[in-house]
Amino acid sequence: VEAQYTHDHLANPVILPVNPYQPGKSSSAIQREFGLQEVVKLASNENAAGPSPLARKALELVLHHIHLYPDDGGEDLKHALARKHGVSSENVILGHGATDILDIIVRAFVCPTDEIISAYPGFPWFQILGQLSGAKNVVVPLRDHRHDLQAMGERITPRTKLILIANPNNPTGTFLKRADIESFLRSVPRHVVVVLDEAYIDYVDGEETRAIKLAQKPVDRLQPVIVVRTFSKISGLAGLRIGYAIAEAGLIRLLEKARQPFNTTMLAHVAAKASLQDLHHIEKSRKIVAQGKIFLYEAFKRLRLDFVPTDANFIYVDFHRDVKPIFHQLMERGFIIRPAQETCARITIGLPRQNAGLVRALKEVLTGRGSYEKQRSHLRGLHPARRGTGSRSGLHLGGEARHR
Ligand SMILES: Cc1ncc(COP(=O)(O)O)c(C=O)c1O
């Protein structure tokens, strides 16, 4: 048995309680583990449509230059983003993903004596960042699967430095309308920086660019608001790691101080710029999600599963029983979902055939009928799963409760 050495006494004490961020399971690992030919990953909210062909072409051209450092700060992409959002490039900063931008924000603003307010369940990185900063995480439960802005406001103290809001929220997919955010911002004191993480905003009908206006022309000029966006979702560039923030120029200047040199690659710059121009790909990606959502809603209703209607590219489902066995049995059948709170999971909306396959596998798992191989020929005529007991408001209710 290997000796258990620990170097904990050397560590910055703030990192000791941190549980490293758990990404969705990788397809190749599951393929090896279960000897599967194909694995469908519906665990990380990636774009089922893949990257834009224009982005792929741009990448081929830039490959000749990767012996050079990228343009630090990515001026060309920043200009393109500024044009898209009707702001100036002084209002934009790039990061290697929204995760990097959030890290920059925390390092730029948060001291160990500060407090950070975020919601639970939420994007786990928010709380990890809080822990790493040494600040106090103030965690406010969602209400009916949505941010409880009133409760979040009530937790503000003179020490509050940041409020982190994912809109739409991960993992529940719920969306706060601009009017609600505006009235919340009016109630937030000016010593608090409000971050609106809009990783999934492009899936929300008609809300594109709305919060950007709040960042550019705040409720008043002293209201610090930062909008965070990413190319990982609708643009299908998760593997390249590129995201950005938009905010008033004075805030961006502070963030620039905390940014690593060359934090974004030239590959990411050209692919992101090409993706911005590929409106066809964006529309196609949106359509896949819109149609997949309707298909999965209907299937979940037939399976008598409760789910939260979503404004993002994933659906939060409550199985009303321990989700871990369901997660494992789906994995054996080649489908990776993301377990969330005890009985819940977050399922990314995939391509039509992936969604259909997931539903078939789910039927098998929920009815508890043997292995996938045996099941393949028995897919027709299965009875819907028993629905669990209990329901919480905010969920679409499957089964009897739906008809109450
Ligand atoms: C709310 C939220 N913000 C940010 C991210 C990460 O984005 P990126 O890939 O740009 O780091 C995710 C990814 O799942 C997310 O759900």
Side-chain angles (χ1 to χ4, degrees):
V1 181
E2 204 180 313
Q4 294 287 306
Y5 289 111
T6 169
H7 299 286
D8 287 6
H9 61 290
L10 300 174
N12 175 345
V14 301
I15 73 155
L16 291 175
V18 171
N19 287 319
Y21 181 80
Q22 297 291 326
K25 289 253 184 201
S26 88
S27 304
S28 51
I30 302 305
Q31 219 160 346
R32 273 196 308 277
E33 191 175 337
F34 296 103
L36 296 162
Q37 284 199 324
E38 190 192 352
V39 170
V40 177
K41 185 176 166 212
L42 303 173
S44 299
N45 304 338
E46 291 144 334
N47 188 337
S52 144
L54 296 189
R56 292 213 309 258
K57 203 172 252 165
L59 284 169
E60 279 165 26
L61 295 177
V62 86
L63 283 177
H64 299 286
H65 304 288
I66 57 171
H67 59 298
L68 301 172
Y69 280 101
D71 172 31
D72 184 35
E75 288 305 317
D76 202 30
L77 176 58
K78 277 196 334 197
H79 275 112
L81 285 165
R83 259 197 316 279
K84 170 182 159 77
H85 293 302
V87 297
S88 137
S89 58
E90 291 181 333
N91 300 114
V92 188
I93 182 172
L94 304 182
H96 49 264
T99 45
D100 180 35
I101 292 285
L102 291 162
D103 182 38
I104 292 171
I105 292 171
V106 172
R107 279 187 291 111
F109 289 105
V110 178
C111 308
T113 48
D114 289 339
E115 296 173 1
I116 301 177
I117 300 178
S118 63
Y120 182 84
F123 182 39
W125 186 232
F126 290 171
Q127 281 186 46
I128 295 175
L129 283 173
Q131 286 179 301
L132 292 174
S133 72
K136 178 176 163 192
N137 273 318
V138 176
V139 179
V140 179
L142 300 180
R143 186 190 175 118
D144 298 342
H145 306 282
R146 315 177 71 78
H147 282 91
D148 186 345
L149 291 180
Q150 187 178 337
M152 291 177 93
E154 285 164 4
R155 301 298 300 276
I156 295 172
T157 72
R159 294 191 165 203
T160 306
K161 180 61 65 67
L162 272 189
I163 301 181
L164 297 169
I165 296 174
N167 195 37
N169 188 43
N170 172 4
T172 54
T174 48
F175 180 67
L176 297 165
K177 291 210 176 334
R178 185 178 169 191
D180 295 334
I181 289 183
E182 268 183 3
S183 66
F184 175 64
L185 289 177
R186 269 188 221 104
S187 73
V188 174
R190 301 303 179 246
H191 68 274
V192 180
V193 181
V194 177
V195 175
L196 299 166
D197 177 348
E198 296 190 332
Y200 303 99
I201 193 74
D202 304 283
Y203 299 104
V204 182
D205 282 338
E207 290 287 339
E208 241 285 285
T209 78
R210 301 286 175 84
I212 300 280
K213 297 232 162 33
L214 293 176
Q216 183 201 10
K217 286 203 185 63
V219 177
D220 71 54
R221 278 190 64 77
L222 296 175
Q223 172 67 66
V225 176
I226 303 174
V227 176
V228 177
R229 298 266 182 118
T230 178
F231 285 90
S232 295
K233 306 302 172 184
I234 202 130
S235 301
L237 297 180
L240 278 179
R241 315 302 303 126
I242 180 86
Y244 59 100
I246 296 204
E248 203 268 317
L251 293 169
I252 296 292
R253 280 196 295 277
L254 292 174
L255 297 181
E256 280 290 348
K257 291 175 192 281
R259 179 177 68 76
Q260 283 174 33
F262 308 111
N263 66 327
T264 50
T265 68
M266 70 172 71
L267 299 171
H269 296 161
V270 297
K273 190 175 170 201
S275 299
L276 282 180
Q277 288 156 356
D278 195 346
L279 301 180
H280 173 72
H281 178 260
I282 289 174
E283 205 36 53
K284 177 176 152 194
S285 306
R286 212 177 263 142
K287 217 176 241 171
I288 287 171
V289 167
Q291 289 171 351
K293 177 155 85 170
I294 292 168
F295 172 83
L296 288 173
Y297 282 177
E298 287 309 311
F300 293 158
K301 283 183 210 168
R302 280 198 306 278
L303 290 168
R304 303 179 178 224
L305 294 173
D306 291 347
F307 59 88
V308 182
T310 186
D311 273 303
N313 66 340
F314 54 84
I315 306 178
Y316 191 67
V317 181
D318 192 344
F319 295 95
H320 294 290
R321 57 170 119 157
D322 186 8
V323 73
K324 283 193 280 315
I326 298 172
F327 166 65
H328 283 287
Q329 289 169 47
L330 282 175
M331 214 148 56
E332 286 166 11
R333 289 161 171 79
F335 292 88
I336 314 176
I337 62 167
R338 182 66 162 257
Q341 285 53 56
E342 300 78 33
T343 61
C344 300
R346 192 193 70 194
I347 302 178
T348 305
I349 299 166
L351 297 172
R353 74 178 175 84
Q354 297 175 327
N355 298 331
L358 170 80
V359 170
R360 279 197 301 275
L362 253 181
K363 263 189 197 170
E364 291 181 15
V365 168
L366 295 173
T367 50
R369 298 207 180 178
S371 75
Y372 192 49
E373 284 72 25
K374 278 190 221 139
Q375 284 298 314
R376 276 184 198 280
S377 52
H378 296 135
L379 288 181
R380 304 245 168 266
L382 288 182
H383 299 295
R386 256 184 318 118
R387 86 172 284 278
T389 50
S391 63
R392 283 179 274 150
S393 52
L395 284 172
H396 173 92
L397 298 174
E400 314 86 66
R402 187 154 40 101
H403 307 295
R404 270 207 298 256

